[in-house]
Amino acid sequence: MTSEASSRSCRARIGMPRRLAREEDSTILIDMVPIAKNEDSYGSTASTSQLNGHQEAAGRMGSPSKPRVDFVLVWEEDLKLGEQQDSTIRDKTDTHAAWRETFLENLRAAGLCVDQRTMQDGPGTVHYILLSAPWAVLCYYAEDLRLKLPLQELPNQASNWSAGLLAWLGIPNILQEDVPGVPPEYYSCQFKLSKLSRFLGSDNQDTFFTSTKRHQILFAILAKTPYGHEKKGLFGIDQLLAEGVFTAAFPLHDGPFRTPLEGTQASGLTQRQILFQYWARWHKWYKCQPLDHVRSYFGEKVALYFAWLGFYTGWLLPAAAVGTLVFLVGCFMVFSDVPTQELCSSADNFEMCPLCLDCPFWLLSSSCSLVQASRLFDHGGTVFFSMFMALWAVLLLEHWKRMSATLAYRWGCSDYEDIEERPRPQFAASAPMTALNPITGEDEPYFPERSRLRRVLAGSVVVVMMVAVVIMCLVSIILYRAIMAILMSRLNNTVLAAWASRIASFTGSVVNLVFILILSKIYMALAHILTRWEMHRTQTKFEDAFTLKVFIFQFVNFYSSPIYIAFFKGRFVGYPGNYHTLFGVRNEECAAGGCLIELAQELLVIMVGKQIINNVQEILVPKLQSWWQKFRLRSKKRKARPREAAGQEPWEADYELLPCEGLFQEYLEMVLQFGFVTIFVAACPLAPLFALLNNWVEIRLDARKFVCQHRRPVAERAQDIGIWSHILAGIAHLAVVSNAFLLAFTSDFLPRAYYRGTRAGDLHGFVNFTLASAPPAFAAAHNRTCRYQAFREDDGQYSPTYWNLLAIRLAFVIVFEVPKLRPRDGS
């Protein structure tokens, strides 16, 4: 048995907060609209009597001919399963039904039109609640939410210096593309109902509020509507979704993303179709992004993310080109490097000390391929590239600040955080008191700063504990590498014995990646709970606090192993006869090629491995989820309405899409990548190239997700990319320090320069210079002498060369840091 029910309710706004009787608003509003000759001149102020007339005129306007669907709520129920439920589950189901009914009734009381559509196929039912806001509700909440609406249209202010330069030179710009339907730009100000006639388009109720503004108003109502006692947290659509009372809540997309006919004119395309045709298709990978269109359809927050991603990707192009050139220089230098040739042709001249207690002696010449591989990254060009990348990171962030401020000004959100942004509904419901906002002059919910500080400190203790867990995992990986290297060295195979350290390092990198992914999932949930408990006033502050917690953890999680390899591995080994141990296991030492090649390997495994895993997840997982969602719902529809299965309502089509999960993971992925590209770039000049290739895919992949695969998100305003900009600045400063110490203490650059200046300019004999002889006691115990990599005397004490090099290394770090330490103008 199949049936479809529909019920509609749209009554007067009973529960809408009514304004108390008071004087008419006489606030001055600059009139930006052209006026008649017999009226005041441009820039005049509106009097109280004029405002009364405007309000009366607004009230006489006709209502829209057909209410539009602004928001959709969905819930599913299995009638067959309900008959088999025990009392506990049945009570929970009844509670959810009561909450749902109370919530919908409160939405009606708030003045919303509630239209219910039910699709039933016997065992299962899908309920669609279609919400729309009448004109009066839109006007009231637009003023309450301080929404900015247009006063006067402006000429488009978008500028592109590179496009202008190419046009001046007469060179065709293949990156630029004329996208139809460019959204106009306006002078705008906060909406006031008493000044309605001053706003552009106020005579047309159907188009005065754009779809994104309507979605913002509807979501604000949904976020604050209670379904129980507010102090117990029983309010808002987010909590209902978390409890499973509703399965989805989303605004509708602007029709299908595919054009019905191939020959459809550009003027007849919807916003979604324009974004698909000119932005979300793979063959548009080299075209500039239509950011104004993205902002018009998805809001400023999404548009700023894509603006940052496109800007960062464009700046990766010169970094990737220089890094690839440096790598190619290393390829040519491998076969002409004198120390490498000496090592590979040394035969049995250098017999090395055992790598563990029971390991055999081994020949340095057996590590020829490792040393050749290390020369790909460790040469003089790496120093130049490190300095280039330090300057690149600083310039990138400074130019991004300029671009971000320009976009915020053009999009009218420069003062969003200070003036427009309202307190979070969760904060308003839980705040113990109210206080006067010094900026807006209104009473707002308030939580004492001292109490919040105590909660932040308590949360910081939990963060430190999770960081300690990561360090414990790192120690376990270090022990794994040491034990694996010992086991491989004991094999009766000279090739495997020579590669023991490299095999242990590679497998340890893979294990470390698995630990990283598992711990990330656990900590994300914990950070969200802690941030909610800290009671942050606005959504921006909430997201910034959550972001900082997660990034601190992810920084340690992702970068702890590379930092260990770069700055600690091989530093505390000791010498033959007096080796240092960790939990009874001999400390790791760098392989014959040095630790820099191991660091490059670690970076490639974590960075490229993470990118591959993420891209596979973003491509395959959504497709599988979307296929299952469509199969499940369409099978129900075929059973319910076999004759109408071909037709599909817009809300049914959008419900088949995947829920939008926000931008946090996208930002986190890019910022972590920025860290790999800058902090350890001295070890891997190819990192910018891999990042560039990934980001070319990432831009179109994310665009397709938003346009084609995900439900439309609620358009959110934002002033900038938030705390991410401060995190990026911190990474850029850290990168300068990190690369200075990498070049000074991990690379062979300074020992080679020292040898050239004091011994031989052609580097003949450099291999022997870097090797120390085992102490006589160790040689007597084994009846043979051996060599090991260190600057030590025969008795194991550090040689004068070691101390000279240490002074040179510290001086190099200081010189490398001078551009960073130089104060800026005005500081």
Side-chain angles (χ1 to χ4, degrees):
M1 176 180 179
T2 62
S3 66
E4 183 178 358
S6 174
S7 63
R8 182 172 181 80
S9 171
C10 184
R11 54 171 146 165
R13 186 171 175 268
I14 300 173
M16 182 183 295
R18 304 191 61 179
R19 303 181 186 278
L20 299 176
R22 54 182 174 88
E23 285 186 319
E24 278 293 318
D25 182 9
S26 58
T27 306
I28 294 175
L29 177 68
I30 297 176
D31 188 357
M32 306 301 294
V33 186
I35 54 179
K37 291 182 180 179
N38 58 347
E39 294 181 349
D40 297 333
S41 60
Y42 177 83
S44 63
T45 61
S47 65
T48 302
S49 59
Q50 289 174 320
L51 296 177
N52 289 334
H54 291 154
Q55 269 191 315
E56 292 172 3
R60 292 195 299 269
M61 288 184 182
S63 61
S65 58
K66 181 181 178 181
R68 61 197 292 181
V69 177
D70 295 313
F71 226 90
V72 180
L73 307 180
V74 186
W75 88 88
E76 300 182 32
E77 60 178 338
D78 194 332
L79 302 178
K80 187 176 180 180
L81 183 62
E83 300 172 357
Q84 304 173 356
Q85 292 176 346
D86 57 27
S87 59
T88 304
I89 299 178
R90 193 177 297 113
D91 290 343
K92 183 179 180 181
T93 303
D94 294 340
T95 301
H96 285 185
W99 285 351
R100 190 161 44 239
E101 186 58 36
T102 303
F103 186 74
L104 295 178
E105 185 60 31
N106 287 336
L107 291 179
R108 295 185 185 98
L112 298 185
C113 297
V114 180
D115 186 5
Q116 183 169 339
R117 305 291 177 90
T118 302
M119 186 187 72
Q120 184 176 347
D121 69 339
T125 304
V126 182
H127 301 270
Y128 297 94
I129 306 297
L130 312 182
L131 303 177
S132 58
W135 172 254
V137 176
L138 292 173
C139 289
Y140 174 83
Y141 279 98
E143 184 170 355
D144 185 63
L145 296 172
R146 306 170 187 157
L147 294 185
K148 283 189 173 181
L149 293 174
L151 290 170
Q152 184 182 29
E153 187 171 346
L154 295 170
N156 193 287
Q157 303 175 70
S159 61
N160 189 327
W161 67 269
S162 59
L165 178 63
L166 291 175
W168 182 73
L169 295 174
I171 302 174
N173 187 359
I174 62 172
L175 304 179
Q176 205 70 27
E177 185 175 25
D178 292 329
V179 182
V182 178
E185 296 187 19
Y186 302 100
Y187 281 125
S188 61
C189 76
Q190 291 182 18
F191 176 76
K192 284 188 175 294
L193 183 59
S194 58
K195 309 289 195 307
L196 177 63
S197 61
R198 307 294 182 92
F199 292 90
L200 284 183
S202 59
D203 56 341
N204 189 334
Q205 294 185 17
D206 288 322
T207 59
F208 180 62
F209 291 102
T210 63
S211 61
T212 54
K213 299 295 184 186
R214 298 173 74 97
H215 297 162
Q216 289 172 0
I217 292 172
L218 265 290
F219 184 74
I221 297 173
L222 291 171
K224 295 187 290 187
T225 301
Y227 57 90
H229 200 290
E230 290 189 44
K231 291 298 180 181
K232 295 181 179 179
L234 302 180
F235 69 94
I237 188 62
D238 289 334
Q239 188 64 25
L240 289 172
L241 291 171
E243 294 283 352
V245 178
F246 290 100
T247 56
F250 54 89
L252 286 179
H253 269 296
D254 189 10
F257 64 87
R258 298 188 185 277
T259 54
L261 299 173
E262 290 295 330
T264 303
Q265 296 295 325
S267 58
L269 297 177
T270 64
Q271 281 187 308
R272 190 184 185 193
Q273 289 168 346
I274 289 174
L275 287 174
F276 175 70
Q277 293 287 342
Y278 294 91
W279 181 48
R281 309 190 84 167
W282 290 110
H283 68 271
K284 301 289 184 181
W285 64 271
Y286 62 95
K287 297 292 185 182
C288 294
Q289 300 182 87
L291 294 177
D292 288 331
H293 294 75
V294 177
R295 176 246 178 175
S296 176
Y297 192 72
F298 292 112
E300 288 82 3
K301 195 170 190 176
V302 173
L304 280 170
Y305 163 71
F306 281 102
W308 152 251
L309 181 57
F311 180 85
Y312 168 50
T313 303
W315 273 69
L316 278 174
L317 192 58
V322 176
T324 304
L325 180 63
V326 170
F327 177 76
L328 293 176
V329 169
C331 293
F332 286 109
M333 292 182 65
V334 166
F335 304 101
S336 60
D337 184 61
V338 173
T340 303
Q341 293 176 346
E342 281 187 353
L343 186 147
C344 293
S345 60
S346 63
D348 56 354
N349 291 339
F350 302 110
E351 188 176 40
M352 307 299 291
C353 297
L355 297 174
C356 63
L357 184 61
D358 299 324
C359 297
F361 291 83
W362 58 285
L363 296 177
L364 184 60
S365 58
S366 63
S367 62
C368 174
S369 56
L370 294 178
V371 176
Q372 289 176 334
S374 70
R375 294 304 299 158
L376 297 175
F377 306 102
D378 191 2
H379 54 84
T382 305
V383 180
F384 161 77
F385 187 57
S386 298
M387 300 179 69
F388 170 83
M389 288 300 295
L391 180 63
W392 173 88
V394 173
L395 291 177
L396 179 146
L397 295 180
E398 291 301 320
H399 279 76
W400 167 248
K401 290 177 185 177
R402 180 177 178 179
M403 180 178 178
S404 177
T406 302
L407 291 176
Y409 173 76
R410 285 185 52 222
W411 294 343
C413 50
S414 298
D415 55 357
Y416 170 71
E417 294 179 14
D418 293 332
I419 298 177
E420 295 181 56
E421 192 169 18
R422 305 285 290 178
R424 297 169 56 243
Q426 296 83 354
F427 174 83
S430 304
M433 63 184 74
T434 61
L436 186 69
N437 188 321
I439 297 177
T440 63
E442 298 179 3
D443 266 340
E444 291 185 355
Y446 178 75
F447 190 79
E449 288 298 327
R450 187 181 297 272
S451 300
R452 179 182 293 113
L453 179 60
R454 286 198 294 265
R455 295 190 178 192
V456 170
L457 291 176
S460 301
V461 174
V462 179
V463 174
V464 171
M465 291 174 59
M466 289 301 299
V467 169
V469 172
V470 175
I471 295 175
M472 289 171 59
C473 292
L474 175 63
V475 172
S476 66
I477 292 172
I478 294 172
L479 294 175
Y480 165 82
R481 286 174 176 159
I483 295 172
M484 180 61 68
I486 292 173
L487 295 177
M488 296 291 295
S489 300
R490 289 177 177 176
L491 298 176
N492 294 324
N493 188 315
T494 56
V495 176
L496 288 178
W499 282 76
S501 179
R502 185 69 67 245
I503 294 173
S505 178
F506 177 78
T507 55
S509 300
V510 175
V511 174
N512 184 46
L513 179 61
V514 174
F515 277 160
I516 286 172
L517 298 177
I518 293 174
L519 290 174
S520 298
K521 297 293 184 183
I522 298 173
Y523 184 75
M524 286 281 289
L526 182 60
H528 198 273
I529 295 172
L530 289 174
T531 309
R532 217 167 39 213
W533 179 61
E534 290 172 358
M535 290 289 291
H536 295 280
R537 175 180 168 271
T538 63
Q539 186 64 25
T540 299
K541 292 183 181 297
F542 177 88
E543 291 177 357
D544 287 350
F546 175 74
T547 298
L548 184 60
K549 285 185 185 64
V550 175
F551 180 77
I552 290 173
F553 174 79
Q554 296 286 41
F555 181 88
V556 178
N557 200 10
F558 277 91
Y559 298 142
S560 57
S561 185
I563 288 174
Y564 163 74
I565 294 175
F567 304 116
F568 297 100
K569 186 175 181 180
R571 309 291 176 204
F572 314 102
V573 177
Y575 55 89
N578 187 27
Y579 286 116
H580 301 157
T581 61
L582 177 66
F583 299 118
V585 179
R586 177 175 156 182
N587 288 347
E588 286 185 292
E589 58 182 302
C590 298
C595 279
L596 207 64
I597 183 63
E598 291 189 39
L599 179 59
Q601 172 190 284
E602 183 81 3
L603 292 177
L604 292 177
V605 169
I606 296 179
M607 177 182 168
V608 179
K610 184 176 182 296
Q611 289 178 352
I612 293 174
I613 292 173
N614 285 344
N615 287 333
V616 169
Q617 285 180 338
E618 292 184 16
I619 293 174
L620 294 182
V621 174
K623 286 186 178 296
L624 293 175
Q625 291 176 337
S626 180
W627 173 83
W628 171 248
Q629 178 83 336
K630 291 178 181 179
F631 173 78
R632 185 176 63 85
L633 293 175
R634 290 182 181 180
S635 62
K636 286 186 177 183
K637 186 174 180 180
R638 283 193 296 269
K639 294 177 183 177
R641 295 177 293 175
R643 294 183 180 180
E644 303 176 18
Q648 194 175 37
E649 297 289 354
W651 46 87
E652 294 177 345
D654 282 9
Y655 184 50
E656 291 180 353
L657 302 177
L658 300 175
C660 185
E661 298 176 349
L663 295 170
F664 176 79
Q665 288 294 344
E666 312 299 336
Y667 271 120
L668 181 63
E669 180 183 353
M670 289 298 105
V671 172
L672 288 174
Q673 181 199 89
F674 180 79
F676 283 119
V677 167
T678 54
I679 296 177
F680 305 106
V681 74
C684 188
L686 290 179
L689 176 62
F690 287 115
L692 176 64
L693 297 176
N694 174 80
N695 289 5
W696 269 334
V697 176
E698 186 75 22
I699 291 177
R700 304 306 157 180
L701 191 59
D702 288 346
R704 290 185 71 88
K705 285 196 306 184
F706 275 93
V707 175
C708 309
Q709 298 175 345
H710 285 185
R711 298 168 193 153
R712 187 175 183 177
V714 178
E716 296 183 67
R717 288 174 64 74
Q719 186 170 321
D720 47 37
I721 63 174
I723 200 172
W724 293 113
S725 58
H726 301 289
I727 292 174
L728 290 166
I731 290 176
H733 285 80
L734 180 62
V736 178
V737 179
S738 172
N739 284 292
F741 277 91
L742 268 177
L743 293 172
F745 289 91
T746 308
S747 169
D748 275 345
F749 170 72
L750 290 181
R752 285 170 175 253
Y754 177 78
Y755 188 81
R756 277 197 185 96
T758 59
R759 307 294 173 88
D762 57 2
L763 291 178
H764 280 289
F766 178 75
V767 175
N768 184 64
F769 170 72
T770 61
L771 299 177
S773 298
F778 182 86
H782 293 80
N783 293 322
R784 60 199 303 184
T785 187
C786 61
R787 309 292 294 274
Y788 64 101
Q789 290 185 326
F791 293 103
R792 291 179 181 268
E793 302 288 358
D794 289 345
D795 58 357
Q797 299 301 314
Y798 287 118
S799 65
T801 300
Y802 170 84
W803 299 109
N804 292 338
L805 272 174
L806 179 61
I808 293 172
R809 284 167 168 161
L810 293 176
F812 177 85
V813 170
I814 295 173
V815 172
F816 198 89
E817 290 288 309
V818 165
K820 173 180 172 288
L821 296 175
R822 184 178 300 154
R824 295 183 180 182
D825 294 337
S827 61

